[in-house]
Amino acid sequence: MENNDDTKEDPQSQVKNSVSMEKNCCNEDTFRLHMVTWNVATADPPDDISSLLHLNSPKTPDLYVIGLQEVYSAPHRFIIDMAVEDSWSHLFMSSLAPRGYLKVSSIRMQGLLLLFFSKLAHVPFIRDIQDTYSRTGISGYWGNKGGVSIRLSFYGHMLCFLNCHLAAHMQYASQRVDEFEYILDTQTFDPKKTPQILDHKLVFWFGDLNFRIQDHGMHFLRNCITSHKFNLLWSKDQLTMMKKTEALLQEFDEGPLDFQPTYKFDRFSDCYDSSGKMRKPAWTDRILWRVKPKEPPPEEEKDEDRDSVLDEKNTKKKQEEEEEFPLKLKQDSYTSNMEYGVSDHKPVIGIFTLELRKMYETPLVRVCAEGEWSADFDAIVIYSPLQPFPSSAWDWIGLYKVGFTSVSDYITYTWVKDDEVSFNDELAQVYVSKDEIPLLGGECVLCYYCSTLQCIVGISSPFKVQESKVAVEGRSSTGEHRRP
């Protein structure tokens, strides 16, 4: 959903706007997707990623997808990262949360990291979230190479994002294709309607795919790059060459390589490798996509058995769904960002416009804060199911500060069954103990988390938690005064 608001607007105002669950925030059919792939070569994050995420652009994305390769994963660091957020995840979360984005999902396999962020307004419409990984290093036993993926339903449309780091070196182009096919074959999901990656309506394949530019000598390569005649190198790009013979690769689209090769640079420099190895420049870092082809009409059979009849019905149902709920993708930008020098790779950015017809526009649950909230008394949450969904005693409602980073970043939570005050078929009330409400108050939201679906299915409008009398009296007794 395109948003032309100036991002210099007060961040708190941005968040309030993004978390508003009014219908006019969610009924658009056009969404903006910002994708990043970057081999960070075990480096620590830079101080600022505003340019990488286009945070000062007047057009704000609806979704951010960030795929990193070679995140530092020495054993001691990897154990720490598993216990707390790694430094890269923390940087992206702290940069995006104040602007109203939530980390919906992430997956880490050794040096591979994939992060998915969404504007809060879309979060109740993101379901069926699953992630998985495949190792391809040392014959599939080591995770330094391979792929990590996140799949999800976005307003009913099944999307999959696959971040890969494939085999290195010039001579292994065929092996890279074999690894990609292996990853597609081994990664499986539930439910049965999209068991594998290629069953999803839209697939993004990106990462350090490690395809090189072959045949051309170093002098010719550098002259083409210096003169920005990148098109003279395209025919010898290995991925482009492999596409001519590999039917699977032909299903994936990619924008023109109108930016200079992103590998290999001297660190903190725009100069290509000056070491003794003198690695040839290459477009190793790529973003491709595949929109699922339309289902072919079922073949007619004279002797139809039960299975063939079911298959025909399923195919017909899928065809009807494709016609009623179409999905289109357009790439608006495909480029590298040359300002970051912490790695020997430059990051690649893809901006996309996603057009789709929503399969649903109403969240599963409406949730709101009842009356005035403060730490002086127990508070009441009201929620009402708007559609049937698999609720359970493990569902909970979390209280969050506006600008929270992920589903686990709650102030407190209440179990919807254990803390229930009253209930009927249309409305339920649960209480939150005053001891769990922050004394100093602040702008907050409530989120209903469905344990069966493992996602947020309802978000309240922002509301003010008042400062408690205890906090006011405590400040008065110490002579502190509230600033205007």
Side-chain angles (χ1 to χ4, degrees):
M1 179 171 59
E2 294 195 5
N3 184 341
N4 293 320
D5 294 341
D6 191 338
T7 54
K8 292 181 181 179
E9 176 187 0
D10 174 58
Q12 287 285 2
S13 299
Q14 291 180 29
V15 176
K16 289 180 185 178
N17 290 336
S18 69
V19 302
S20 172
M21 301 311 295
E22 296 297 326
K23 186 177 180 181
N24 61 5
C25 278
C26 296
N27 62 1
E28 297 295 331
D29 292 329
T30 302
F31 305 87
R32 189 172 178 84
L33 172 60
H34 185 113
M35 296 191 66
V36 174
T37 179
W38 192 7
N39 182 322
V40 298
T42 72
D44 289 328
D47 294 330
D48 182 55
I49 51 172
S50 297
S51 176
L52 184 67
L53 301 179
H54 294 184
L55 296 183
N56 296 318
S57 170
K59 293 183 177 180
T60 59
D62 296 277
L63 306 173
Y64 278 100
V65 181
I66 295 112
L68 304 181
Q69 306 86 40
E70 290 195 32
V71 175
Y72 186 56
S73 57
H76 69 282
R77 175 74 73 86
F78 191 71
I79 292 170
I80 294 171
D81 289 349
M82 292 296 100
V84 297
E85 293 289 352
D86 64 274
S87 58
W88 284 94
S89 296
H90 178 76
L91 176 61
F92 284 110
M93 292 165 70
S94 61
S95 299
L96 290 172
R99 295 170 181 268
Y101 293 93
L102 182 71
K103 189 193 80 172
V104 175
S105 184
S106 66
I107 179 171
R108 172 90 181 266
M109 181 186 76
Q110 210 157 311
L112 277 167
L113 176 63
L114 179 57
L115 302 163
F116 182 92
F117 292 86
S118 170
K119 277 187 176 178
L120 205 55
H122 304 309
V123 169
F125 305 97
I126 299 174
R127 304 168 193 167
D128 301 318
I129 305 165
Q130 290 183 293
D131 56 62
T132 189
Y133 62 89
S134 300
R135 302 185 184 98
T136 58
I138 312 181
S139 302
Y141 290 100
W142 193 240
N144 65 319
K145 295 290 195 296
V148 293
S149 62
I150 295 173
R151 62 70 67 83
L152 50 86
S153 165
F154 184 68
Y155 290 98
H157 297 262
M158 299 304 297
L159 315 180
C160 187
F161 302 89
L162 172 60
N163 172 27
C164 288
H165 191 186
L166 304 180
H169 305 305
M170 180 72 73
Q171 66 270 32
Y172 294 122
S174 295
Q175 182 177 329
R176 289 187 267 278
V177 177
D178 292 341
E179 289 180 351
F180 178 48
E181 292 179 344
Y182 171 79
I183 290 167
L184 293 180
D185 288 340
T186 56
Q187 295 199 1
T188 57
F189 306 94
D190 290 326
K192 294 181 180 179
K193 62 181 180 179
T194 50
Q196 293 187 302
I197 288 175
L198 296 184
D199 295 317
H200 292 74
K201 207 166 191 177
L202 174 61
V203 176
F204 284 96
W205 172 38
F206 54 102
D208 181 359
L209 307 186
N210 251 323
F211 290 101
R212 308 303 172 98
I213 299 172
Q214 65 183 49
D215 297 337
H216 291 310
M218 184 70 79
H219 181 71
F220 180 79
L221 259 171
R222 295 202 172 188
N223 277 346
C224 289
I225 294 169
T226 302
S227 60
H228 285 228
K229 294 179 180 178
F230 306 126
N231 60 307
L232 298 181
L233 304 175
W234 292 346
S235 64
K236 296 301 180 179
D237 167 69
Q238 288 181 334
L239 180 53
T240 303
M241 296 169 71
M242 297 299 290
K243 268 193 164 192
K244 294 178 180 178
T245 58
E246 297 288 339
L248 174 62
L249 299 184
Q250 292 168 12
E251 297 182 21
F252 285 82
D253 294 312
E254 183 180 20
L257 298 168
D258 284 331
F259 53 92
Q260 69 183 83
T262 53
Y263 173 84
K264 172 181 169 107
F265 289 87
D266 294 336
R267 292 192 191 229
F268 300 103
S269 167
D270 288 343
C271 298
Y272 284 102
D273 185 17
S274 63
S275 71
K277 293 183 177 180
M278 291 285 286
R279 298 286 190 198
K280 290 170 67 174
W283 286 292
T284 57
D285 310 285
R286 312 286 277 268
I287 301 174
L288 297 91
W289 70 91
R290 174 188 183 268
V291 177
K292 188 179 179 183
K294 290 185 177 181
E295 292 283 342
E299 295 181 5
E300 293 185 6
E301 297 183 11
K302 292 181 180 179
D303 300 322
E304 292 184 337
D305 58 21
R306 183 173 178 273
D307 289 340
S308 64
V309 171
L310 287 174
D311 289 342
E312 183 175 342
K313 287 181 178 179
N314 289 335
T315 301
K316 187 175 180 181
K317 184 179 178 181
K318 289 179 181 178
Q319 289 173 334
E320 291 172 350
E321 183 181 289
E322 287 172 357
E323 292 173 2
E324 185 177 0
F325 300 104
L327 178 148
K328 297 178 182 178
L329 188 76
K330 178 171 72 74
Q331 188 171 55
D332 302 314
S333 175
Y334 189 34
T335 187
S336 59
N337 188 312
M338 296 295 294
E339 77 175 68
Y340 294 99
V342 297
S343 168
D344 55 0
H345 291 248
K346 301 298 183 182
V348 170
I349 300 167
I351 308 295
F352 298 87
T353 297
L354 178 61
E355 297 181 20
L356 57 82
R357 184 169 299 160
K358 299 172 184 174
M359 295 187 186
Y360 40 76
E361 299 191 44
T362 306
L364 296 178
V365 175
R366 178 179 290 121
V367 58
C368 63
E370 172 72 2
E372 182 178 314
W373 278 53
S374 84
D376 296 323
F377 41 79
D378 293 343
I380 296 294
V381 178
I382 296 177
Y383 74 92
S384 54
L386 301 179
Q387 301 174 45
F389 73 98
S391 61
S392 76
W394 296 103
D395 291 1
W396 50 272
I397 297 173
L399 176 67
Y400 296 85
K401 282 283 184 72
V402 167
F404 67 106
T405 59
S406 67
V407 69
S408 61
D409 189 23
Y410 50 77
I411 300 169
T412 186
Y413 62 89
T414 179
W415 298 104
V416 297
K417 300 299 181 184
D418 291 356
D419 300 317
E420 198 169 82
V421 178
S422 65
F423 174 79
N424 59 45
D425 291 339
E426 297 181 355
L427 193 70
Q429 292 182 332
V430 294
Y431 80 93
V432 177
S433 170
K434 63 183 182 181
D435 297 331
E436 304 295 332
I437 299 173
L439 291 172
L440 298 179
E443 290 287 329
C444 295
V445 293
L446 294 164
C447 297
Y448 187 112
Y449 185 86
C450 176
S451 295
T452 304
L453 298 177
Q454 294 191 318
C455 61
I456 292 171
V457 295
I459 302 178
S460 74
S461 296
F463 63 97
K464 178 76 172 177
V465 175
Q466 302 298 323
E467 190 175 23
S468 73
K469 293 178 181 177
V470 173
V472 173
E473 291 170 356
R475 187 172 57 251
S476 299
S477 65
T478 58
E480 295 180 11
H481 298 283
R482 186 186 306 203
R483 293 182 178 179

